[in-house]
Amino acid sequence: MQNKSLLKKFLSFSYGSWIGIIIGIVSTPVITRLLTPEDFGKASMFTLALNILMVFVMFGSDQSFVRFFYEEEEDARGKLLYKCLYIPVILIIVTTVIMALFYKRISFFLFREHSFILIAAMAAGVAGQIFYRYAVLVIRMKQRGNSYSILEMVNKSLNFGLIILFYFIMGERYEIIVYSTITALAIVAVIAIYLEKEIWDIKNIVSKKINHGRKEILKFSSPLMVSTFITMLFQSFDRMAIKHWSNFREIGVYAAAFKIVGILTVLQTTFATFWAPVSHENYMKNPNDTKLYEKVSRVVTAGMFIVAVGTIIGKDIFVIMLGKGYEKVGVIMPFLIFIPVMYTISETTVLGINFMKKSKWHIFISGTACLVNIAGNLILVPKNGATGSAITAAVTYIVFFSLRTFISLKYMKADYGLKKLYSGVTLIFCYAVTQLFWKDIALNMSIGVVILLIIVYMYKNDMIDIVKNRSIF
C-alpha cells in the first residue's frame, strides 16, 4: 500500500469523527441542562439495553462479514452480506416477540415504570442498529472514507437536532433521547444503504456461489458473539451495580461522565474503522511483515496517552459545562478515560489472534475481564457508588488490554514497546487517583503538565520519526 494512499484514507475516515467530537462537546452540556441527572440516568439505561440486545441479535455475524469480505470476489460480496444478515434478522424477530410478551417486567426493571411504547421503541432501535451497522460496514470495507465521515456527521447532527425538537414537543422527559436515537438511526441507515445500493440489491440473495457458506459464517461468528456478549456484560455491569446499590441520579452522573469519555471513544471508533481493513489487507499481502503494526501501535499509544492526560487536565472545564448536579463527574471521568485509551491501543496489539483466526481466545479474554469487573463492582460500588465503578472500569480495561496483547504475541511476534507503554499507564492511573483527594485546580494542572512532558519524552523518537520520515503514512 502506498504511503500517500494510506494517509489519504486515514484522513478521509477521520474528519467526520473530529467534527463529531465538536458536536459532542456542544451537545453534551446542552443535554445535561435539559435533563436532570435522574432522567439522564433513565435514558442511559435505554441505551445500555439497546447495546446489549444489539450484541445478542448480531451474533458476531458482522465480524464474519469483515473477515471474509476480501476473500470473496467483488460481485459475490452482496450475497455474503445477505448470508451474514440472515442471522440477526431471524434473532430480532424472536427477540421482539419475547420483549412484547414480557414488556411490563422489562420496562419496570429498566425504568421503574410499565411502558409498552418504550419496549416497542427498543425493538425498533435494535432493528435500526442492525441495518445501520451493516450499511456502514459495507462503506468501511470498500474503504470509502468520505462517505463514512459524512454519515458520522449526519448521524451526530441529526441526533442532537432531534433531541432539541422532541424537547420542545415533549418537555423535560428522558424519552426525548429514546425517540431521537431510534429516529436518527433509521434515517441514517436508509441513507447508508442507498449510497451502496448495488451491494444491497435484493438480487444478490440468489447470485453466484460464494466461498463462505452460512455454516462457516456461524463457526467464525459464534465464539465472537460469546466474547462480545461477555464484553458487553462487563461494560454494562457497572450501571447495573449502580442501579442496584444506588439510584438513577448516580447513574445519571456516571452516564454524563461516560458521555464526555464518549467523545474520546470517537477516536477509538475512527481508528478501528480505518485500521481493520488496512491491517487485514496488509496481512494478506505481507503476512510476515510486522513493522507497520509496531509503528502504528507506538504512535497510537503516544497519541492516546497525550489525549488522556490532556482530558484529565481539563476535566474541571467539562464539569462547569455540564451544569448543576454533575459535579462528581470530575472524579469519575479520569478513570473512565482508560476505557477508550486501553481499548484503542489493544486494537493494534491483538492482531495475532485475529489474523490466525483464533477467535475462541476472545471468549477467555472477555470472560476474565468480566470477572474482574464484577468483583470490582461488588467490592467498591456499595460504599463508593459511581466512583467505585469508574475505578473498576479502569482496572478492568488494563487487564483486558494485557490479555489481548500477550495472547496475541503467542501467534505473532512484534515489538510494541510494552515497557514504555506500562510506564505510561502507571503514570496516568496515579494521576487519576490524585483526583480523588486533591481538589486544587492549579495543582491538578501542574501535575498533568509534568506527566505530559514525561510521556512526550518517552515517545519522542517515535514522534520525530513520523514528522521527519512519515514512516507510517
Side-chain angles (χ1 to χ4, degrees):
M1 184 173 294
Q2 302 213 340
N3 294 336
K4 288 184 179 179
S5 176
L6 191 57
L7 175 60
K8 186 178 179 180
K9 285 179 181 178
F10 177 75
L11 293 175
S12 68
F13 273 107
S14 64
Y15 73 82
S17 296
W18 286 106
I19 295 175
I21 289 177
I22 296 172
I23 296 171
I25 292 172
V26 173
S27 64
T28 299
V30 173
I31 296 170
T32 54
R33 280 173 165 77
L34 296 180
L35 298 177
T36 63
E38 289 83 358
D39 279 338
F40 202 75
K42 289 183 178 181
S44 74
M45 292 303 293
F46 175 85
T47 305
L48 176 64
L50 200 66
N51 291 335
I52 293 174
L53 285 171
M54 174 67 173
V55 171
F56 169 72
V57 169
M58 192 61 75
F59 207 79
S61 60
D62 54 336
Q63 297 303 312
S64 293
F65 182 69
V66 171
R67 181 64 186 83
F68 301 138
F69 187 84
Y70 289 112
E71 295 180 6
E72 296 290 349
E73 294 181 18
E74 189 170 348
D75 59 351
R77 290 169 180 171
K79 187 165 186 176
L80 175 67
L81 169 65
Y82 281 107
K83 284 280 187 182
C84 292
L85 194 57
Y86 175 83
I87 301 166
V89 168
I90 295 299
L91 288 176
I92 186 58
I93 294 172
V94 174
T95 303
T96 300
V97 172
I98 294 172
M99 290 170 63
L101 292 173
F102 299 98
Y103 80 91
K104 287 186 177 180
R105 292 184 181 182
I106 297 171
S107 61
F108 187 79
F109 173 75
L110 292 173
F111 314 111
R112 288 290 185 267
E113 62 181 271
H114 297 140
S115 175
F116 181 79
I117 294 175
L118 284 173
I119 299 305
M122 192 176 298
V126 175
Q129 275 196 324
I130 290 170
F131 287 98
Y132 174 71
R133 171 66 174 163
Y134 270 102
V136 170
L137 272 182
V138 171
I139 291 171
R140 277 180 53 187
M141 298 312 293
K142 288 192 172 184
Q143 300 188 33
R144 295 182 178 175
N146 287 319
S147 296
Y148 177 82
S149 287
I150 291 170
L151 284 171
E152 281 286 293
M153 291 186 290
V154 171
N155 191 19
K156 297 286 185 183
S157 303
L158 188 60
N159 196 12
F160 181 41
L162 287 169
I163 288 174
I164 302 300
L165 175 63
F166 284 123
Y167 171 75
F168 284 113
I169 296 173
M170 302 173 63
E172 297 179 5
R173 296 171 57 184
Y174 69 91
E175 289 95 333
I176 65 175
I177 292 183
V178 172
Y179 300 140
S180 64
T181 299
I182 60 175
T183 306
L185 268 175
I187 293 172
V188 179
V190 170
I191 295 172
I193 290 172
Y194 178 78
L195 289 175
E196 296 293 340
K197 54 184 178 295
E198 291 82 9
I199 198 171
W200 284 91
D201 193 325
I202 201 74
K203 294 178 182 178
N204 288 323
I205 296 176
V206 292
S207 64
K208 63 181 289 186
K209 186 178 179 181
I210 59 174
N211 298 323
H212 304 90
R214 197 168 292 144
K215 185 176 180 180
E216 188 174 359
I217 290 170
L218 279 169
K219 183 179 179 181
F220 184 82
S221 67
S222 53
L224 289 173
M225 178 270 171
V226 175
S227 66
T228 306
F229 190 80
I230 295 172
T231 301
M232 181 55 66
L233 178 62
F234 83 69
Q235 288 175 343
S236 60
F237 190 79
D238 48 6
R239 275 152 287 185
M240 294 296 184
I242 296 170
K243 178 176 173 291
H244 180 73
W245 280 296
S246 193
N247 50 51
F248 278 115
R249 179 181 179 81
E250 197 80 350
I251 296 175
V253 173
Y254 188 82
F258 236 112
K259 194 80 173 175
I260 298 298
V261 172
I263 297 172
L264 293 182
T265 305
V266 172
L267 298 177
Q268 169 190 317
T269 306
T270 301
F271 176 73
T273 299
F274 158 77
W275 186 234
V278 168
S279 59
H280 278 86
E281 187 178 358
N282 185 77
Y283 178 75
M284 294 294 291
K285 292 179 178 179
N286 306 292
N288 297 317
D289 184 10
T290 61
K291 290 182 180 179
L292 175 66
Y293 316 131
E294 293 169 355
K295 289 178 180 180
V296 168
S297 181
R298 290 168 186 262
V299 172
V300 169
T301 300
M304 292 306 292
F305 282 175
I306 291 170
V307 169
V309 176
T311 304
I312 299 176
I313 291 174
K315 70 179 179 61
D316 295 295
I317 297 174
F318 290 113
V319 171
I320 294 171
M321 289 171 61
L322 291 174
K324 187 178 179 181
Y326 293 92
E327 294 81 5
K328 197 175 179 181
V329 166
V331 176
I332 297 170
M333 191 177 68
F335 292 101
L336 294 182
I337 285 173
F338 281 88
I339 297 175
V341 169
M342 300 313 298
Y343 191 96
T344 303
I345 298 172
S346 76
E347 287 290 286
T348 70
T349 61
V350 74
L351 299 174
I353 297 174
N354 296 338
F355 289 161
M356 302 304 166
K357 301 182 183 180
K358 304 295 182 180
S359 55
K360 290 182 179 179
W361 272 115
H362 289 299
I363 299 175
F364 171 77
I365 294 168
S366 300
T368 304
C370 185
L371 291 174
V372 171
N373 186 264
I374 291 173
N377 276 288
L378 289 174
I379 295 169
L380 296 178
V381 171
K383 290 185 178 181
N384 302 285
T387 304
S389 230
I391 295 171
T392 299
V395 174
T396 299
Y397 272 87
I398 293 171
V399 172
F400 179 75
F401 162 81
S402 300
L403 291 171
R404 278 186 134 197
T405 301
F406 288 110
I407 293 173
S408 174
L409 288 172
K410 288 167 58 69
Y411 300 102
M412 189 180 76
K413 301 298 181 184
D415 181 11
Y416 296 121
L418 294 180
K419 288 183 179 179
K420 285 196 298 186
L421 191 151
Y422 279 108
S423 297
V425 169
T426 302
L427 280 172
I428 298 171
F429 189 84
C430 290
Y431 185 32
V433 171
T434 64
Q435 308 307 301
L436 296 173
F437 311 104
W438 296 339
K439 306 301 180 184
D440 188 282
I441 296 177
L443 180 61
N444 166 54
M445 294 181 68
S446 299
I447 296 172
V449 170
V450 171
I451 293 175
L452 202 59
L453 291 173
I454 293 172
I455 289 171
V456 170
Y457 178 78
M458 286 166 54
Y459 286 93
K460 68 180 188 303
N461 292 333
D462 299 295
M463 291 186 282
I464 290 172
D465 190 33
I466 298 170
V467 173
K468 284 187 175 182
N469 307 315
R470 295 184 179 180
S471 57
I472 294 177
F473 301 112

